[in-house]
Amino acid sequence: MSQSVRTRPAGCGQALSEAYDTALLDLDGVVYAGGNAIGHAVESLAVARAGGMHLAYVTNNALRTPDVVAAHLTALGIPTVADDVITSAQAVARLISEQVPEGSRVLVIGGEGLRVALRERGLEPVESADDDPVAVVQGYGGPEMAWGRFAEACYAIARGLPWFASNTDLTIPGARGIGPGNGAAVEVVRIATGAEPQVAGKPLPPMHRETVLRTGAERPLVVGDRLDTDIEGAFNGEVDSLLVLTGVTDGAQLLAAPPRHRPTYVDADLRGMLTGQPEVADDGDGFRCGGWRAAARGERLELDGEGAALDGLRALCAAAWTAAGDGSCRLDSGKALARLGL
Ligand SMILES: [Mg+2]
């Protein structure tokens, strides 16, 4: 994929699971939500894998180890080994290992996933700023993380140690709502110290590099539900992406996406991996996909026709992204999206 500005979703004449060798799948909002499998995920992944596609799972959550994530997926009916799970803890551990001597001590503000990932790179996790660490790493520590851990990070950073963060997702979804994620915890330390961390997780290049190094993917397809992590990560890595609508992104957000947040393909759920993708055609008076035609008129996006809702959304994407160029579309899409039930 070139980095020229994308102005419409791409077509694909064969199933995406055949056109790409490896799926780099986000987890929350794509494969599962609140611990339970998302509709059609288990069957779709089984078909893609049986057809020869390598499936890898890429998560910004640094708390859980790959073993724990693989066991969770396997329990949901998606047979997975730990080697097929890539976490931001692994990406940040590699980033640290490239900047400090082998065997160095690293102060851990976070959970077991970080400790395991540091040991894997020959680094020694320690718990106190007084344990002679040479770096500080911060990752999501779960709801039980004590406030004193942030103080520990501040003490070490004030002594001049480099500070690393697994990821900066501001929020984390839970069974009772949206809670503060590692990005919010990083802000606590940033405000207290005035320092800036080096960050590894999606959408930044260290995470994408880690996934490609670990999977050996030659033609990867990033599959995700978030524009500012999954899709932007694919954009930064210059690889193709599939947005699914089973997570946090809705139609209006997709239409307003600036270039770095525009996916290559859009589909409802993971069944989209098993099919080709329709072309969106410019007929001079609008954009056609399936039975729909979308166009920018005045202050609005207008939609005519009938057919599959996803085709209408693809046509609207083309109208919105073309109108926005390298910015964000501000046209009113409410009526058009309501017609599609999106
Ligand atoms: Mg997600």
Side-chain angles (χ1 to χ4, degrees):
M1 188 184 93
S2 85
Q3 291 300 83
S4 61
V5 172
R6 172 175 301 288
T7 55
R8 69 183 90 166
C12 186
Q14 60 184 139
L16 298 181
S17 58
E18 291 166 5
Y20 297 88
D21 69 344
T22 305
L24 303 176
L25 292 134
D26 178 50
L27 287 171
D28 227 309
V30 174
V31 177
Y32 54 61
N36 299 314
I38 283 174
H40 309 293
V42 173
E43 315 84 86
S44 299
L45 293 171
V47 173
R49 191 224 276 268
M53 191 182 215
H54 180 199
L55 305 179
Y57 302 91
V58 184
T59 176
N60 261 0
N61 189 324
L63 178 63
R64 301 198 299 169
T65 64
D67 277 314
V68 170
V69 175
H72 179 192
L73 289 169
T74 301
L76 292 176
I78 304 164
T80 305
V81 296
D83 282 349
D84 291 329
V85 178
I86 299 97
T87 72
S88 65
Q90 294 172 322
V92 78
R94 188 187 300 267
L95 191 62
I96 297 167
S97 73
E98 291 166 349
Q99 299 181 32
V100 304
E102 176 145 18
S104 292
R105 295 177 162 200
V106 177
L107 173 61
V108 175
I109 313 300
E112 188 61 15
L114 275 180
R115 295 186 185 87
V116 168
L118 288 170
R119 288 190 201 101
E120 189 190 33
R121 293 258 83 88
L123 300 168
E124 184 185 344
V126 297
E127 303 304 318
S128 167
D130 297 334
D131 289 335
D132 297 323
V134 301
V136 182
V137 63
Q138 186 172 4
Y140 183 65
E144 305 307 323
M145 181 124 104
W147 187 254
R149 301 307 298 153
F150 303 137
E152 210 62 37
C154 293
Y155 304 150
I157 292 164
R159 294 173 191 175
L161 268 60
W163 174 32
F164 296 83
S166 59
N167 66 301
T168 51
D169 297 44
L170 288 173
T171 57
I172 191 159
R176 295 173 56 219
I178 302 295
N182 193 52
V186 163
E187 287 304 313
V188 169
V189 175
R190 189 205 307 267
I191 290 164
T193 60
E196 283 294 325
Q198 295 181 53
V199 183
K202 292 184 269 187
L204 295 165
M207 187 71 190
H208 185 70
R209 183 169 59 114
E210 188 74 18
T211 63
V212 172
L213 283 170
R214 284 183 182 261
T215 61
E218 291 180 354
R219 192 161 162 69
L221 178 69
V222 168
V223 184
D225 71 310
R226 275 192 90 103
L227 301 180
D228 60 356
T229 54
D230 306 317
I231 305 307
E232 186 173 338
F235 178 87
N236 289 337
E238 299 187 34
V239 300
D240 288 350
S241 60
L242 166 66
L243 179 81
V244 291
L245 300 177
T246 44
V248 299
T249 300
D250 63 21
Q253 291 168 325
L254 178 61
L255 297 181
R260 68 184 184 283
H261 289 174
R262 294 175 190 164
T264 314
Y265 311 107
V266 184
D267 221 314
D269 54 54
L270 289 181
R271 287 175 295 180
M273 290 171 63
L274 308 178
T275 61
Q277 293 284 315
E279 296 285 345
V280 182
D282 181 352
D283 72 2
D285 195 29
F287 294 90
R288 289 185 179 279
C289 187
W292 299 98
R293 187 176 68 177
R297 305 226 190 278
E299 301 293 304
R300 290 199 307 174
L301 288 172
E302 294 192 347
L303 185 68
D304 312 298
E306 58 183 359
L310 256 295
D311 287 341
L313 182 61
R314 293 176 181 117
L316 283 169
C317 284
W321 298 351
T322 299
D326 58 6
S328 292
C329 180
R330 308 274 177 222
L331 301 174
D332 180 1
S333 59
K335 208 169 151 192
L337 287 171
R339 250 199 103 183
L340 298 173
L342 290 169

